[in-house]
Amino acid sequence: IEGAIDEYPGKHEKRVVTLNYARTNAILGTPINSETQREILLRLGFDLVSDDVGADRATFAVPTWRIDVKRDVDLIEEIERVYGVEKIKPSKPRGVIGTHPFDEVYDQIQEARRILCGLGLYEAQGQSLISVKAASLVLPLEHCVRVANPLSIEMSVLRPSLLPGLLDSVRVNLHRRNPSAALFEIGKVFARGGTELPVKEERMLGIVMVGDRWPVFWEGADRAAKFDVFDLKGVIEEFLISYGVKGVSYEENANPSALFYDSCLVLLGRHRLGEFGILSPQVARIYDFREVVVLGELNLDLLMRLRSREKKFESLPQFPAIRRDMAIVVPENMTHEQVLKVINAHKPSILASVEIFDVYRGRNIPEGHKSMAYAFTYRASDRTLTDQEVNRTHEELVRIVLMKLGATLRA
């Protein structure tokens, strides 16, 4: 039989790749003229299909045995290999630092995390989806955002608060025999909005504390002390001061949600920053808690808008301080915040600080009243104060406090 038989069921078309000569120089970081680039590829078996001199580019047909060559960067790699890597001069790395509007927000969130961790709290990370039962403890269901096709009944509502998730974390810790927990979480919460904005999102900060105030120790009067609402208030106060939010006031919440047994509002002027208080006993039974749980939530988006990022430094005092005390008898419903408002409204220039150090109820105090004792620290920045000057200032301030509050001095 004469001739040849070629079994070739499908003809293999050659792949073509277009090379931009300027792109080769940009990637390699060294100038290689177009003639040299073209000659290297032709020597390696690439066929020149077209050469567009005006556009500084050419199209090559890839040999069938070079199945690894698919893009222009593969051609550039071949040029680099033949031209010689040693001929390409090294250059310093060029970094590009971009900016984004979220960068500043992220930095502020990280600062909040750093402060809270420094106060002894651990960060928790919860789910954005919670159950209908948990969501109803915080917000009426008609104001919650429900998922159309939930995976389960336990993940059917977008969380309206961080607190249910934090309570779940505490329950897991307690069931794992970790009876003490001080946790915080930063995340977004969701609620139904208006017609223009169907879903409202806000970034919040949640805190929950339960168990022993101090680590286990072998002696000490406070070694069995438990977290209470004043520990939480102290954490919130210290966080706000460190975060640059000053002038905050506290007011009893007349209508707390079902989550709280008793709660307090955190206010800055007309702005409501958040709420904190004691967990409701009914909710505590749902979560199987046997100890008092204190919890709170702050609007972090609002805090980032209202905070002052300016840092101020005051030199250490050079002159001694003088302390004077005041014990007043007031009605039972009188709060420390009310007393401080009067003092701050008439604060003398030499008054450095005011601290409450005792609250007493009992013998020699009328029923329905209590005694509140305060320590006043007086100091001048430019001189040593005399007893006569401090006594005169202190007596006038005490007179104003008694008049404004309708209080009496405790004998």
Side-chain angles (χ1 to χ4, degrees), residues 289-302:
F289 295 153
R290 291 177 172 80
E291 293 188 357
V292 175
V293 178
V294 293
L295 67 169
E297 194 168 32
L298 301 175
N299 190 324
L300 191 58
D301 280 339
L302 184 57

Side-chain angles (χ1 to χ4, degrees), residues 32-156:
I32 304 175
N33 59 58
S34 57
E35 290 81 5
T36 302
Q37 294 185 42
R38 185 169 52 251
E39 180 185 352
I40 290 174
L41 293 176
L42 292 175
R43 285 161 50 195
L44 293 175
F46 294 86
D47 296 329
L48 182 63
V49 176
S50 64
D51 192 3
D52 190 345
V53 179
D56 197 28
R57 64 185 180 187
T59 302
F60 295 88
V62 181
T64 55
W65 67 85
R66 293 301 305 272
I67 59 174
D68 59 312
V69 178
K70 300 177 181 179
R71 301 178 299 164
D72 61 340
V73 290
D74 298 323
L75 296 179
I76 295 173
E77 184 179 7
E78 295 298 310
I79 294 171
E80 177 191 23
R81 180 172 62 84
V82 176
Y83 180 75
V85 178
E86 69 280 358
K87 294 181 181 179
I88 300 176
K89 296 180 180 181
S91 59
K92 294 182 179 179
R94 291 176 294 175
V96 178
I97 301 177
T99 58
H100 191 276
F102 184 70
D103 290 346
E104 184 177 355
V105 176
Y106 177 80
D107 291 340
Q108 295 189 68
I109 295 174
Q110 288 298 96
E111 184 178 355
R113 285 193 174 105
R114 178 184 58 78
I115 295 171
L116 291 165
C117 289
L119 291 173
L121 276 66
Y122 291 90
E123 184 172 11
Q125 200 71 39
Q127 296 285 346
S128 296
L129 296 172
I130 61 175
S131 66
V132 173
K133 186 176 181 180
S136 63
L137 296 173
V138 181
L139 203 64
L141 287 179
E142 58 268 22
H143 299 306
C144 295
V145 182
R146 305 189 70 164
V147 179
N149 299 296
L151 296 176
S152 71
I153 191 65
E154 298 297 325
M155 303 178 68
S156 57

